[in-house]
Amino acid sequence: MKRWLAGGVCCLSLSLAAPAQAQTQAAQQDGLFWLGRVVTAAREQSYSGTFVYRNGVHAETSRITHLVDNGKEFERLEVLDGSPREVIRSNEEVKCYLPESRTLIIEKRGQHSSFPVMLPASLAGLSEYYTIRKGPSGRVADRDSQAILLEPRDDLRYGHQFWVDMNSGLLLKAGMLNERGEAVETFAFTQLQVGGIFDRDALKSKFGAQSSGWRVLNVEATEARGKDETWLFRVQLPGFRKLAGMKRSARTGNADSMHMVFSDGLAAISVFIEALPDKPELGLTSLGAINVYQRALGDQLIVVMGEVPRATLKKFGDGIEPRRK
């Protein structure tokens, strides 16, 4: 009798768990569907609008115009607060105009992300490290939106909230939440126009005509091919894998520096290894969601930065050391 009762309880538990698991999986797939719309829309939609970005106590307003023409992407981003800055993108070429310092930075990127760059091109694997579910619907920038929530399954990463335009699939608003559930970084459109006819002049730099005498920095990034035999990463963070390893040169006479990027598909950690300056600022610092950890190792400066908790960053940074020959 007891054996029968035990077996009955076990079967009942399994019968209750199966629908709950199916519901969870369905919620994950529904959330991933909405995030997939964001990735596609950012790459394929033409739009213009004004948005506000906040990181800690810092806030700035920007205007963006994004045009897709015959499969090619063109973009102009202008910061409207504080020091004037402007970014012009034509497919892989990015030009950054800094009029106060009369500087033009030109960079060609082999792989580019469409604005906003908070989501990866591939969403595979996100559900292994985040619980993804739909939140409430609402209004952002006078447009109907659907909230999608990503809750981390461990203490190594931050949580996220996304509000997706129900009509176009564009990301209207996003927030990053720290360990205490506080928003440490947000961006939100205040005005947005999707589709329609766009004036080509809206994509031209307003500083282009006056930049002929400016200092020009051609920043090159070359992918480090093969296995890196120079540096060893002893601490492996679950889900984080190396996406890129690049050697950067600004053609200013400075020594080359290494730049490596690790990501779990959403959170990213950048590692810079360069010559140690005379008076380095070592230790941990923060600006909103961005944490920075700097440590000296011989005559090298290791800088680790990313939008992950400080403890995660320090743990990862302390595990970097040169390979023994």
Side-chain angles (χ1 to χ4, degrees):
M1 182 68 173
K2 291 181 179 179
R3 184 180 302 175
W4 181 87
L5 286 173
V9 171
C10 181
C11 291
L12 178 60
S13 299
L14 290 174
S15 65
L16 293 175
Q21 184 177 7
Q23 290 177 357
T24 300
Q25 292 176 347
Q28 293 269 19
Q29 291 301 316
D30 197 12
L32 286 171
F33 166 77
W34 281 92
L35 296 181
R37 289 194 65 193
V38 172
V39 174
T40 302
R43 189 172 57 246
E44 299 180 355
Q45 295 272 12
S46 295
Y47 61 90
S48 65
T50 304
F51 65 91
V52 177
Y53 169 77
R54 298 181 185 275
N55 189 351
V57 297
H58 176 72
E60 64 182 25
T61 305
S62 301
R63 179 167 50 230
I64 187 171
T65 301
H66 180 264
L67 174 66
V68 179
D69 187 12
N70 293 323
K72 297 181 178 180
E73 291 184 71
F74 305 91
E75 192 171 274
R76 177 173 178 259
L77 176 65
E78 180 184 11
V79 179
L80 305 179
D81 301 330
S83 301
R85 284 159 287 157
E86 184 184 65
V87 178
I88 305 293
R89 179 164 72 87
S90 177
N91 286 325
E92 291 81 15
E93 184 180 73
V94 178
K95 294 182 177 180
C96 181
Y97 292 85
L98 306 173
E100 286 192 348
S101 62
R102 295 174 58 82
T103 302
L104 170 61
I105 302 173
I106 302 175
E107 181 176 3
K108 289 192 176 182
R109 303 173 182 172
Q111 296 180 347
H112 67 268
S113 300
S114 298
F115 176 88
V117 295
M118 300 173 185
L119 288 169
S122 173
L123 301 172
L126 275 187
S127 57
E128 185 174 353
Y129 304 102
Y130 298 88
T131 299
I132 305 172
R133 60 184 177 86
K134 287 172 62 176
S137 57
R139 299 277 289 172
V140 178
D142 199 30
R143 304 179 72 91
D144 293 329
S145 68
Q146 173 62 55
I148 305 298
L149 311 178
L150 283 79
E151 300 166 348
R153 297 182 184 272
D154 54 34
D155 59 358
L156 298 175
R157 53 209 104 216
Y158 286 149
H160 299 264
Q161 296 177 332
F162 299 106
W163 285 263
V164 186
D165 185 358
M166 289 185 176
N167 185 34
S168 68
L170 285 169
L171 187 60
L172 300 176
K173 181 180 177 181
M176 187 179 298
L177 309 178
N178 65 13
E179 307 92 321
R180 297 177 296 278
E182 302 165 337
V184 289
E185 180 183 81
T186 62
F187 114 90
F189 275 104
T190 57
Q191 175 274 326
L192 180 66
Q193 174 193 340
V194 182
I197 299 175
F198 287 86
D199 186 356
R200 283 278 186 171
D201 289 339
L203 294 163
K204 295 180 180 178
S205 170
K206 69 187 213 177
F207 305 111
Q210 56 183 279
S211 63
S212 57
W214 290 12
R215 180 175 59 142
V216 178
L217 297 179
N218 288 285
V219 179
E220 294 183 348
T222 57
E223 185 176 353
R225 300 194 177 274
K227 185 178 179 180
D228 181 17
E229 300 292 345
T230 308
W231 294 95
L232 180 66
F233 294 81
R234 289 197 174 278
V235 176
Q236 301 296 318
L237 301 175
F240 284 84
R241 62 185 183 88
K242 185 178 177 181
L243 296 185
M246 295 162 282
K247 182 180 292 185
R248 291 184 175 271
S249 173
R251 293 181 180 175
T252 59
N254 295 330
D256 293 343
S257 63
M258 288 297 299
H259 176 204
M260 288 160 277
V261 180
F262 299 80
S263 177
D264 66 351
L266 187 59
I269 297 175
S270 288
V271 177
F272 299 88
I273 302 176
E274 55 194 35
L276 186 68
D278 293 335
K279 296 181 179 180
E281 296 181 5
L282 305 179
L284 276 163
T285 55
S286 300
L287 176 60
I290 301 175
N291 291 311
V292 182
Y293 178 50
Q294 299 188 82
R295 59 183 282 249
L297 190 60
D299 59 355
Q300 300 288 310
L301 176 66
I302 297 177
V303 182
V304 187
M305 62 186 299
E307 294 174 325
V308 295
R310 291 163 63 106
T312 301
L313 208 63
K314 187 176 187 304
K315 180 179 179 181
F316 186 65
D318 284 340
I320 302 174
E321 61 183 52
R323 291 183 183 272
R324 296 183 183 272
K325 296 183 179 180

